[in-house]
Amino acid sequence: MATDDEDKVLLAVCDVIKGSTLLKAGRSGKPHFRQFKLSNDLSRLMWESAKKMDAAVLISQITEIKTGQVTPVFLKNPIPQCEAVSFSLLYSDRSLDIVCKDKKEFDTWTTALKALIVDKYDNKEAVSAKLVEMRGSIVSEDRLEVQLGTIKTKVLLKDNSCDLYLWGGGDRGRLGHKDDKPRFLPNVVESLLGQNVTMIACGGSHTIALNSKGQVFSWGAGPQGCLGHGNLRDRYSPLMIDGPLRDVNVVHVACYENHSAVISEDGNLYTWGKAGPFLGYMDDSVTKQTKPRLVDALYGTRIVQVACGRSHTLVIDEEGRVYSFGINKFGELGQGHDKAITKPTMVPNLVSICKVSCGRHHSAAIDEDGVLFMWGWGARGQLGQGEPKSLFSPTPVNGFNDQPLEDVSCGYGHTAAITANGVAYCWGDNASSQCGVPSSVYGELSSPRGIVLPSGIRPTQINCGANFTVLVTSIGQLFTWGCNMSGQLGNGEAKKTFSQPMPVESLSEKRVKMVACGEDHIGCLVGHGWVPDEEVKSCMACKKSFTAIRRRHHCRQCGGIFCGSCSTKRYPLLDKGHADPVRVCDKCYVSLSSSSNIK
């Protein structure tokens, strides 16, 4: 069996074969972006060159790899802000001098090249097998054409570059806008601009966000310990969770009313919040777990997804097996009984599962064939069995015209799903028209019912709040329907219900990539772009109004608008194609400087 270090090297070598755009320091003049990759036979490091058809160096010729900026080329033309993500390859009295875009890319390239050059790694069979396994991701990535002075070049487009928008009920700071006021239209979370948020989870009264660096931020109500900051205080703006997650690269987040959970890159599960069996600790030594804690019972089992209900938790491992734990009053654990379970326990008769979702007291899972299974509380018809009844074991749901399902989400008392052919369904509690039909016609639906959408609209993601539903289309449009008493539907008002899906007009010019719902608030990730001038009348840092003298400036990192006093610094943004330092706001400068200096 391969060790963790062997697996790390193998993955790094495969990523280097895949290639990426790096900054190549020039012997004279400015550095320039070039696409680098390792040959499939591990013998050559190749890169694009304006002067040569096939610029390359043989791995066998390279005698040493030096980190930092210590070669004559770097000393002549240093890029001090990028010292910690720079390295040089020495060969034939020359050096190949490289700057990476971030620490993760630096670690990948130096790990692979050190293995090849120093440790003489040549396990071509393992590399070949891994490349076949990764074939779905070994494709030519999108490029972004950028202007560098008078020269145009292309760099890789970071698809995970997103901004976070939140709206709806604002009690206890759950929207992250530094107050407890509701928002009836989507508002960008200013303090997370430039953080490249990749995932969002909304609980009953708190919110969690994950960025591309694997860091987790939380805010909102603190008395249950759900924020993970080691105290019970409310937070009105995002704060990074430190402590146990300081050196952990997180890849997945989830939360609900009483607890929160994350999964690390190596497949470990961490939970925190109000004490209970839904944390999975197998002890009752704490009344509240205010910091993330490893779920020891699952250590060694690689977890890939987690979902949280009000008092239960579901996880999927890499083999597609489902484990459940928590309070089990309605059979929401799927174990065939109603007894609480503290230790994560495999759910019988569920195999090859690729998606799970938890409602308040009911659960759902989709297997690799697109078959939907449901169990738990079903008094409002939310289990889709044709009658309102609860189930203690996973049971298939029919009614989708023999189409496999691609997504499912559970609300308080209703459920929503999307089929592979792009049809959305809802069923269960419809008291607030959350199932997409007037509540006066159907108070509840015990079987899946298709949602009527405008012609040409293809849904790709669906999510349920307490008593409302949200849908994302293939072109990034956002539709909402159901209860709107807190303005959570994003249409500019906070009254009545809406029984038909309505587009969120204020996001019509933006591309929504992900949505998550809480009890009465919504968060969505929007493809990153500059904040339009007309949306901001004052500096987003000092709040002073812009005038003919106090001019506005865009930060090239976060896209926000600032006055000259709050954006005096410059920094090279390699991931955006800027090798020369460009204007950034003071907050982004501090963040960029600190992350670049991580050793």
Side-chain angles (χ1 to χ4, degrees):
M1 181 179 292
T3 66
D4 290 343
D5 287 343
E6 289 171 342
D7 285 341
K8 182 179 179 181
V9 169
L10 176 60
L11 288 171
V13 171
C14 289
D15 281 340
V16 171
I17 290 175
K18 181 180 177 181
S20 58
T21 301
L22 306 173
L23 188 68
K24 181 179 181 294
R27 299 181 183 281
S28 60
K30 296 181 179 180
H32 36 267
F33 289 102
R34 292 288 183 261
Q35 176 73 6
F36 283 82
K37 63 180 295 185
L38 179 68
S39 63
N40 287 348
D41 62 3
L42 314 185
S43 67
R44 293 183 302 154
L45 180 63
M46 305 174 291
W47 65 93
E48 296 173 343
S49 173
K51 298 179 180 179
K52 303 177 183 178
M53 289 296 293
D54 296 305
V57 59
L58 293 175
I59 296 297
S60 60
Q61 291 179 323
I62 302 174
T63 58
E64 188 177 357
I65 177 172
K66 287 183 175 290
T67 58
Q69 298 182 2
V70 296
T71 63
V73 172
F74 270 134
L75 294 176
K76 182 179 180 181
N77 297 294
I79 310 175
Q81 300 95 329
C82 302
E83 170 80 19
V85 291
S86 303
F87 67 89
S88 300
L89 301 176
L90 306 186
Y91 68 101
S92 303
D93 297 326
R94 297 169 64 90
S95 65
L96 182 59
D97 304 284
I98 304 295
V99 180
C100 300
K101 293 186 286 294
D102 52 40
K103 188 68 166 55
K104 184 176 182 179
E105 188 174 65
F106 171 82
D107 288 342
T108 296
W109 278 82
T110 53
T111 296
L113 292 173
K114 178 180 178 296
L116 293 167
I117 298 163
V118 179
D119 301 331
K120 306 302 180 184
Y121 182 87
D122 62 354
N123 193 345
K124 298 180 178 61
E125 291 184 0
V127 171
S128 178
K130 192 65 179 177
L131 288 175
V132 171
E133 178 185 331
M134 297 169 63
R135 62 187 181 277
S137 62
I138 305 297
V139 296
S140 177
E141 299 188 44
D142 291 335
R143 305 286 188 89
L144 174 67
E145 187 173 87
V146 295
Q147 188 83 23
L148 296 176
T150 60
I151 303 172
K152 282 188 176 181
T153 188
K154 290 184 178 181
V155 297
L156 294 181
L157 175 62
K158 290 185 66 177
D159 189 51
N160 64 353
S161 184
C162 287
D163 296 325
L164 173 61
Y165 286 71
L166 278 164
W167 65 98
D171 294 352
R172 312 192 77 157
R174 69 189 70 176
L175 299 183
H177 298 314
K178 302 181 181 180
D179 56 42
D180 59 1
K181 299 176 182 177
R183 299 293 194 280
F184 303 152
L185 292 170
N187 277 227
V188 69
V189 180
E190 293 184 7
S191 57
L192 287 179
L193 282 169
Q195 284 290 343
N196 292 341
V197 181
T198 58
M199 192 174 185
I200 171 78
C202 298
S205 54
H206 74 293
T207 310
I208 296 179
L210 172 69
N211 71 6
S212 59
K213 297 178 181 178
Q215 299 166 325
V216 182
F217 298 78
S218 66
W219 59 97
Q224 299 290 7
C226 295
L227 301 187
H229 299 306
N231 56 61
L232 303 178
R233 295 192 295 271
D234 292 349
R235 285 287 312 177
Y236 289 80
S237 62
L239 178 67
M240 189 174 75
I241 300 176
D242 204 350
L245 297 185
R246 176 178 300 178
D247 299 318
V248 174
N249 185 33
V250 174
V251 295
H252 189 92
V253 298
C255 63
Y256 207 79
E257 188 175 322
N258 293 317
H259 66 302
S260 306
V262 302
I263 301 172
S264 66
E265 187 176 37
D266 52 7
N268 288 324
L269 177 69
Y270 296 78
T271 61
W272 64 94
K274 181 179 178 181
F278 43 82
L279 295 182
Y281 299 151
M282 298 190 298
D283 65 55
D284 56 1
S285 60
V286 295
T287 56
K288 287 184 174 66
Q289 179 66 35
T290 60
K291 290 185 177 181
R293 176 178 167 184
L294 179 68
V295 179
D296 291 322
L298 288 171
Y299 185 76
T301 301
R302 190 177 186 88
I303 303 302
V304 296
Q305 191 197 335
V306 57
C308 301
R310 185 177 189 271
S311 54
H312 73 294
T313 307
L314 301 178
V315 298
I316 307 176
D317 71 9
E318 62 181 345
E319 301 296 329
R321 297 170 296 203
V322 178
Y323 296 79
S324 64
F325 46 99
I327 298 173
N328 193 28
K329 182 178 179 180
F330 300 95
E332 53 263 57
L333 299 187
Q335 300 289 345
H337 55 74
D338 60 358
K339 298 180 178 63
I341 297 178
T342 301
K343 180 181 179 180
T345 303
M346 193 181 305
V347 179
N349 303 318
L350 280 183
V351 296
S352 302
I353 299 300
C354 56
K355 167 82 177 181
V356 290
S357 179
C358 295
R360 192 173 179 86
H361 295 297
H362 70 294
S363 306
I366 299 175
D367 70 12
E368 62 181 9
D369 295 321
V371 177
L372 173 66
F373 297 85
M374 298 200 69
W375 61 96
W377 180 51
R380 301 311 303 271
Q382 64 265 47
L383 301 188
Q385 299 300 316
E387 58 179 319
K389 64 177 182 180
S390 298
L391 297 168
F392 287 177
S393 298
T395 304
V397 180
N398 299 313
F400 306 109
N401 292 321
D402 296 324
Q403 287 292 317
L405 291 191
E406 289 192 342
D407 196 18
V408 66
S409 179
C410 301
Y412 271 20
H414 76 295
T415 309
I418 296 175
T419 62
N421 63 340
V423 178
Y425 290 84
C426 279
W427 60 96
D429 184 10
N430 192 48
S432 298
S433 300
Q434 60 263 50
C435 288
V437 291
S439 57
S440 58
V441 178
Y442 297 102
E444 62 185 42
L445 296 162
S446 294
S447 297
R449 186 181 190 279
I451 300 296
V452 178
L453 294 169
S455 177
I457 295 298
R458 182 182 178 86
T460 56
Q461 187 201 347
I462 202 160
N463 203 270
C464 296
N467 48 13
F468 60 95
T469 311
V470 184
L471 177 148
V472 181
T473 74
S474 59
I475 59 173
Q477 295 173 293
L478 194 68
F479 286 80
T480 61
W481 64 94
C483 179
N484 192 42
M485 298 308 294
S486 298
Q488 61 263 51
L489 300 190
N491 59 9
E493 58 182 345
K495 58 184 178 180
K496 67 181 182 180
T497 62
F498 292 84
S499 60
Q500 294 183 342
M502 304 181 305
V504 179
E505 296 292 349
S506 64
L507 294 175
S508 61
E509 299 299 319
K510 297 178 172 64
R511 185 180 179 89
V512 176
K513 296 188 176 183
M514 179 191 176
V515 67
C517 300
E519 180 178 353
D520 66 353
H521 72 296
I522 297 176
C524 75
L525 302 186
V526 173
H528 175 67
W530 283 18
V531 176
D533 287 344
E534 61 272 14
E535 287 189 14
V536 180
K537 305 301 181 184
S538 59
C539 174
M540 295 174 71
C542 68
K543 306 303 180 183
K544 293 180 180 178
S545 298
F546 293 120
T547 65
I549 297 175
R550 185 180 294 113
R551 300 176 61 190
R552 62 187 71 205
H553 301 276
H554 273 98
C555 169
R556 266 59 175 179
Q557 168 67 3
C558 70
I561 300 178
F562 303 88
C563 68
S565 298
C566 296
S567 57
T568 59
K569 305 292 195 301
R570 293 179 177 272
Y571 201 93
L573 302 176
L574 305 186
D575 59 341
K576 293 177 173 59
H578 297 292
D580 293 330
V582 292
R583 184 188 292 269
V584 296
C585 67
D586 292 349
K587 181 179 178 181
C588 283
Y589 181 81
V590 171
S591 176
L592 290 163
S593 299
S594 60
S595 62
S596 291
N597 291 326
I598 297 174
K599 297 293 184 180

